[in-house]
């Protein structure tokens, strides 16, 4: 078997303006020791956002390095944003990828770290506040509240949840309609119940002339009878204490036979009376409210005309704020002060002026209305940020630190600034300004360097996606079986089916061109993506239905196993840069087929050993070359390249160096 020409894409000559990684001279480990000695604690870092588990992964390795990190993933439950997807070696798959219930699968003993908070925004912030305040018992309660919130989120697609929600909405709507028809309904119910009571009283008075005297006599006799029965029961117990029943269950059987008809009669009467009691109570309340409203008053409360749903929501909010204050020691109502309102107004004016100065050629403008939706949540976010030395915000979350005025803030992009900041909507305008104003921006996708230049980002640091130790552990690949649909030999393509973004159709057509040359070869691809049905139709059209296996998305442990057993891994063909899939193949030692644009990527890393492909013809050549090469001899060069460019120690070192310099620039004695 002769190797093909060449295994590695030819390296272009380095350009002077390109960034080249150099070993850092900053002793961040010594800085950590000095900081802990000076402050009596480790530096506190908050990671906000967890798309693709980037926040969780970075916090995990930084905690191991000596930082005191918390990761916050609020109102986001997708499987690829959960720690179980990253570190739990589970079999099977949850039912709903967007609202997973992790109790459905066997996690094999995996438990979440308590520095990772995922759940509803309000309670997730409360948990971190309690955790940072040293309230261990209250934090444990809030942890259970977050777990319950995650479970409730997983039940939203279920029938009983939808039925309960519709029933509640229907009940509120019917009550509102009853309030609209109010006067007539209340008068009718009140008159009917009053007539019924008067009629019953008249019938009883006619049948018994001295009804009141008889009633008093009956009550006196009943009390006397109860006293006699009580004395008899005491004597019976005193006598029965020295006598043993021949059969212990006789009295239980007799009591059951005696009480069963009584209970049945009571249940029937209760069920029959409940509607009448409810109608009577409802009529009384409505009639009382109308009489109360008819009285002349100097000032009428505004809340009497509010809808029931609004009044219930307001009452529930009051209870929720009270529970929050008891558990965290922070009352959210006390944070929203006139001083904060004045500060918010001043900051909005400053941001509008700054947007006009930084982006004078944009057709859209930042206005006050763009920032108002964030107003209600900012006091609580500001209170949370004050507990940390630095905040690293992911995707669009730098908007929160910008609106609260918190510094230092590091913005972490993972494809966020490719297109989002340049659209015409409030999120785009705020994201563009937030990245431009951040103290530093972490660039994980090399092609986003151009977008950072367009936004005017002054300080950025290239940090690759984290490929931690488990990718290099051969024991993971040998610890579990492959999915039942996967039959070696096979080619693996884990990218989603998106023809425009990933170029999935290129791989399918290229595989069809070489399928007759390798009759035992199988193509393995996930069954997810917006164009998955188009891919199925193309596979059937090309006659590959028995050669292509579409499997469920794989968690990281299974992804490592399937990648390690593949003859080659095929990544996307469009962007021209590495994402998270390509380094996975290189870490486990599997030949990689993808498209790299060296003008976009060489500024932050050296060209990797890979097979270049960008269309059907080049993909066919790359597939043949990858299948004919010797992966054993290639694995050493792949591992060496990963250690120089994607080693997880570089992620820790660059993060730690950046954090240390920013924390020294904005010192906080007691967050």
């Amino acid at each position: 078997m002769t190797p093909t020409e060449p295994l590695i894409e030819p390296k272009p000559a380095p350009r002077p303006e390109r960034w080249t990684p150099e070993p850092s001279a900053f002793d961040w480990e010594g800085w950590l020791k000095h900081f802990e000695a000076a402050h009596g604690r480790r530096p506190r870092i908050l990671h906000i956002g967890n798309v693709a588990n980037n926040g969780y992964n970075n916090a995990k390795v930084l905690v191991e390095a000596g930082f005191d990190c918390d990761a916050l993933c609020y109102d986001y439950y997708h499987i690829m944003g959960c720690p179980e997807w990253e570190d739990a070696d589970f079999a099977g798959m949850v039912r709903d990828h967007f609202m997973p219930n992790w109790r459905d699968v066997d996690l094999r003993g995996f438990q979440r770290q308590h520095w990772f908070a995922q759940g509803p925004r309000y309670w997730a912030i409360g948990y971190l506040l309690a955790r940072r305040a040293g309230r261990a018992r209250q934090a444990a309660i809030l942890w259970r509240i977050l777990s319950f919130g995650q479970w409730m989120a997983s039940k939203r697609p279920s029938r009983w949840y939808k039925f309960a929600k519709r029933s509640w909405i229907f009940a509120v709507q019917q009550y509102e309609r009853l309030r609209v028809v109010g006067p007539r309904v209340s008068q009718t119910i009140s008159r009917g119940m009053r007539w019924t009571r008067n009629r019953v009283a008249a019938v009883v008075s006619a049948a018994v002339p001295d009804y009141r005297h008889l009633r008093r006599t009956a009550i006196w006799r009943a009390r006397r009878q109860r006293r006699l029965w009580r004395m008899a029961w005491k004597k019976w117990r005193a006598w029965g204490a020295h006598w043993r029943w021949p059969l212990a269950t006789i009295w239980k059987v007799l009591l059951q036979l005696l009480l069963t008809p009584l209970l049945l009669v009571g249940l029937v009467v209760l069920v029959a009376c409940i509607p009448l009691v409810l109608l009577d109570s409802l009529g009384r309340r409505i009639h009382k409210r109308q009489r109360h409203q008819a009285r002349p008053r100097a000032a009428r409360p505004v809340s009497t005309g509010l809808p029931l749903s609004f009044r219930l929501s307001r009452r529930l909010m009051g209870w929720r704020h009270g529970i929050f204050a008891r558990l965290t020691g922070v009352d959210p109502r006390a944070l929203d002060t006139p001083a904060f309102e004045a500060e918010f107004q001043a900051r909005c004016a400053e941001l509008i002026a700054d947007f006009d100065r930084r982006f004078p050629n944009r057709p859209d403008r930042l206005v006050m209305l763009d920032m108002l939706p964030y107003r209600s949540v900012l006091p609580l976010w500001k209170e949370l940020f004050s507990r940390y030395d630095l905040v690293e915000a992911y995707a669009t979350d730098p908007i929160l630190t910008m609106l609260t005025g918190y510094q230092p803030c590091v913005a972490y992009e993972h494809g966020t600034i490719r297109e989002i900041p340049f659209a015409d909507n409030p999120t785009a305008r705020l994201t563009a300004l937030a990245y431009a104003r951040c103290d530093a921006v972490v660039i994980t996708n090399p092609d986003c360097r151009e977008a950072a230049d367009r936004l005017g980002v002054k300080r950025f640091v290239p940090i690759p996606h984290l490929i931690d130790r488990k990718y290099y552990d051969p024991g993971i690949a040998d610890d579990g079986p492959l999915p039942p649909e996967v039959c070696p030999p096979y080619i693996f393509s884990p990218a989603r089916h998106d023809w425009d973004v990933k170029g999935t159709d290129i791989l399918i057509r290229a595989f069809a061109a070489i399928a007759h040359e390798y009759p035992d070869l199988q193509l393995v691809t996930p069954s997810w993506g917006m164009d998955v049905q188009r891919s199925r139709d193309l596979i059937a059209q090309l006659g590959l239905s028995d050669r292509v296996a579409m499997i469920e998305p794989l968690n990281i442990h299974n992804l490592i196993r399937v990648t390690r057993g593949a003859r080659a891994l095929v990544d996307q063909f469009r962007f021209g840069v590495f994402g998270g899939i390509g380094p996975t193949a290189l870490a486990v030692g599997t030949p990689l087929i993808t498209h790299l644009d060296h003008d976009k990527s060489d500024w932050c890393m050296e060209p990797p050993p890979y097979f270049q492909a960008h269309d059907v013809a080049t993909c066919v050549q790359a597939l043949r070359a990858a299948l004919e090469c010797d992966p054993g001899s290639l694995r050493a060069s792949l591992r060496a390249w990963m250690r120089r460019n994607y080693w997880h120690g570089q992620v820790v070192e660059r993060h730690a160096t950046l954090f240390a310099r920013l924390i020294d620039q904005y010192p906080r004695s007691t967050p």
Side-chain angles (χ1 to χ4, degrees):
M1 186 182 306
T2 59
T4 58
E5 291 281 332
L7 287 181
I8 302 178
E9 184 74 6
K11 301 179 182 180
R15 301 176 184 176
E17 65 272 14
R18 291 188 178 181
W19 182 87
T20 55
E22 298 178 356
S24 174
F26 184 78
D27 182 14
W28 60 270
E29 294 179 339
W31 178 87
L32 274 177
K33 295 178 181 178
H34 176 74
F35 184 94
E36 188 171 359
H39 297 82
R41 58 175 179 81
R42 296 179 296 168
R44 298 173 182 172
I45 313 297
L46 174 63
H47 301 259
I48 307 176
N50 193 41
V51 175
N53 269 323
N54 286 318
Y56 169 77
N57 286 328
N58 290 332
K60 177 177 62 177
V61 296
L62 289 172
V63 166
E64 295 175 357
F67 287 86
D68 187 4
C69 295
D70 287 331
L72 175 57
C73 180
Y74 63 95
D75 299 328
Y76 181 74
Y77 306 96
H78 191 267
I79 52 176
M80 296 185 184
C82 297
E84 291 81 1
W85 185 262
E86 183 71 27
D87 287 334
D89 189 7
F90 62 88
M93 180 53 62
V94 294
R95 299 177 184 177
D96 189 350
H97 294 176
F98 291 90
M99 298 291 178
N101 183 10
W102 294 107
R103 297 176 178 86
D104 293 342
V105 295
D106 181 13
L107 299 178
R108 299 184 182 180
F110 175 82
Q111 293 183 351
R112 292 187 175 191
Q113 297 291 336
H114 285 272
W115 47 258
F116 180 81
Q118 183 181 38
R121 173 189 55 82
Y122 189 78
W123 297 112
I125 293 177
Y127 168 74
L128 293 181
L129 287 173
R131 170 179 163 85
R132 283 301 160 196
R135 296 168 168 256
R137 183 178 299 177
Q138 291 83 349
I141 296 174
L142 287 165
W143 181 263
R144 291 182 176 88
I145 291 177
L146 291 182
S147 300
F148 178 75
Q150 297 161 22
W151 180 80
M152 284 297 296
S154 68
K155 295 301 179 182
R156 288 177 188 173
S158 62
R159 293 182 179 179
W160 68 265
Y161 184 92
K162 295 178 180 178
F163 175 77
K165 185 176 180 180
R166 287 196 299 266
S167 301
W168 169 255
I169 295 174
F170 177 78
V172 172
Q173 289 175 349
Q174 296 307 313
Y175 185 84
E176 296 296 343
R177 291 175 183 174
L178 186 62
R179 289 183 72 251
V180 172
V181 222
R184 295 181 180 178
V185 175
S186 63
Q187 290 177 6
T188 303
I189 294 176
S190 300
R191 289 173 182 174
M193 298 307 298
R194 194 185 311 99
W195 180 87
T196 304
R197 288 196 303 269
N198 296 338
R199 188 63 179 169
V200 170
V203 171
V204 173
S205 299
V208 184
D210 198 359
Y211 172 71
R212 294 183 178 179
H213 174 72
L214 184 62
R215 187 171 180 270
R216 285 196 298 268
T217 305
I219 293 174
W220 177 80
R221 289 179 178 176
R223 290 177 180 172
R224 183 181 177 186
Q225 193 71 18
R226 282 197 297 268
R227 285 196 298 268
L228 293 175
W229 275 108
R230 198 177 297 114
M231 294 172 59
W233 176 249
K234 290 182 180 179
K235 292 181 179 180
W236 171 261
R237 290 187 61 186
W239 175 78
H242 304 285
W243 186 80
R244 193 175 187 85
W245 286 89
L247 295 175
T249 58
I250 288 180
W251 67 275
K252 295 182 180 179
V253 174
L254 293 177
L255 185 63
Q256 183 73 18
L257 293 175
L258 178 64
L259 292 181
T260 298
L262 297 178
L263 291 175
L264 290 176
V265 173
L267 180 62
V268 172
V269 173
L270 184 64
V271 171
C273 292
I274 282 178
L276 295 176
V277 173
L278 291 178
L279 286 175
D280 182 50
S281 175
L282 182 61
R284 286 172 179 270
R285 292 193 62 179
I286 296 178
H287 187 64
K288 183 178 179 181
R289 178 176 298 174
Q290 286 183 347
R291 288 189 304 171
H292 183 68
Q293 293 176 356
R295 296 174 184 174
R297 288 175 296 177
R300 188 175 180 179
V302 181
S303 60
T304 56
L306 296 176
L308 173 66
S309 56
F310 182 83
R311 286 186 281 114
L312 287 176
S313 299
R314 188 172 59 180
R315 182 171 296 181
L316 291 174
M317 287 291 290
W319 294 342
R320 187 174 73 156
H321 290 330
I323 296 173
F324 188 93
R326 291 290 298 272
L327 293 176
T328 64
V330 176
D331 189 352
R333 294 164 291 192
L335 300 177
D336 197 349
T337 60
F340 182 84
E341 175 63 24
E343 180 185 351
F344 175 74
Q345 296 288 341
R347 182 168 296 109
C348 288
E350 175 197 352
L351 294 178
I352 291 173
D354 194 20
F355 186 89
D356 294 338
R357 181 180 60 84
R358 292 177 182 269
F359 308 107
N361 298 324
R362 284 187 65 145
D364 55 336
R365 297 287 91 191
L366 183 67
V367 294
M368 184 74 175
L369 192 60
D370 295 342
M371 294 171 274
L372 283 180
Y374 296 88
R375 169 64 182 83
S376 60
V377 301
L378 289 181
L380 203 55
W381 280 114
K382 184 177 181 180
E383 183 69 19
L384 177 65
F385 294 158
S386 65
R387 303 294 201 272
Y388 296 90
D389 296 296
L390 182 141
V391 173
E392 185 171 29
Y394 295 70
T396 60
D397 285 324
I399 296 174
L400 298 172
T401 58
M402 177 184 67
L403 293 179
T404 56
Y406 178 85
Q407 288 180 305
C409 172
V410 174
Y412 189 99
E413 76 80 25
H414 35 67
T416 306
I417 61 176
R418 279 196 186 106
E419 299 177 356
I420 291 179
F422 308 105
D424 185 2
N425 56 68
T427 302
R429 290 187 285 270
L430 290 172
T431 302
L433 186 59
Y435 272 81
R437 289 171 58 97
C438 265
D439 298 284
V441 174
V442 172
I443 294 182
T444 60
N445 297 278
D447 63 318
C448 290
R449 164 75 180 274
E450 181 182 353
D453 293 338
R454 291 176 60 189
L455 294 175
V457 175
K458 296 182 179 179
R459 185 173 187 179
F460 61 88
V461 179
I463 300 180
H465 291 284
L466 181 67
I467 305 295
D468 61 10
R469 296 182 182 88
K470 61 177 173 286
Y471 289 87
Y472 304 94
D473 185 5
I476 291 180
D478 302 332
D479 192 31
L482 295 173
E485 303 89 351
V486 179
C487 300
Y490 60 90
I491 297 171
F492 183 39
S493 175
R496 69 179 184 271
H497 288 262
D498 193 330
W499 290 17
D500 295 332
V501 177
K502 300 295 184 180
T504 318
D505 58 318
I506 295 177
L507 172 62
I508 297 174
R509 298 180 189 279
F511 179 75
I514 66 166
H516 65 282
E517 303 176 17
Y518 304 91
D520 298 332
L521 189 65
Q522 184 187 41
L523 174 61
V524 178
T525 180
S527 58
W528 73 295
M530 61 182 301
D531 291 329
V532 64
Q533 188 57 46
R534 293 178 65 188
S535 296
R536 286 195 175 103
D537 295 341
L538 179 61
I539 290 170
Q541 178 183 350
L542 297 175
L544 300 175
S545 300
D546 58 337
R547 302 286 299 274
V548 178
M550 285 194 173
I551 61 176
E552 287 286 336
L554 302 171
N555 61 31
I556 298 301
H557 282 74
N558 287 328
L559 176 67
I560 293 174
R561 294 189 184 102
V562 176
T563 303
R564 187 178 179 85
R567 293 291 302 274
L569 183 141
V570 184
D571 200 358
Q572 52 83 27
F573 304 101
R574 300 300 191 199
F575 286 131
V577 293
F578 267 0
I581 295 176
T584 302
L586 302 183
V588 302
T590 299
L592 172 65
I593 300 173
T594 188
H595 166 58
L596 286 184
D597 185 350
H598 296 286
D599 291 334
K600 295 180 179 179
S601 61
D602 287 0
W603 68 273
C604 63
M605 66 180 183
E606 61 179 281
Y610 77 106
F611 297 92
Q612 172 72 15
H614 60 274
D615 54 17
V616 176
T618 55
C619 187
V620 170
Q621 297 177 1
L623 285 172
R624 289 180 177 139
L627 292 171
E628 294 173 2
C629 74
D630 183 8
S633 61
L634 184 62
R635 185 168 294 127
S637 62
L638 299 180
R639 292 284 182 88
W641 184 89
M642 286 293 296
R643 182 174 291 273
R644 292 193 304 270
N645 296 271
Y646 262 81
W647 191 245
H648 63 270
Q650 294 185 9
V651 176
V652 175
E653 179 182 357
R654 295 182 188 179
H655 265 117
T657 302
L658 177 63
F659 290 171
R661 291 173 178 171
L662 290 178
I663 291 174
D664 287 343
Q665 186 177 350
Y666 300 93
R668 272 185 180 81
S669 57
T670 54

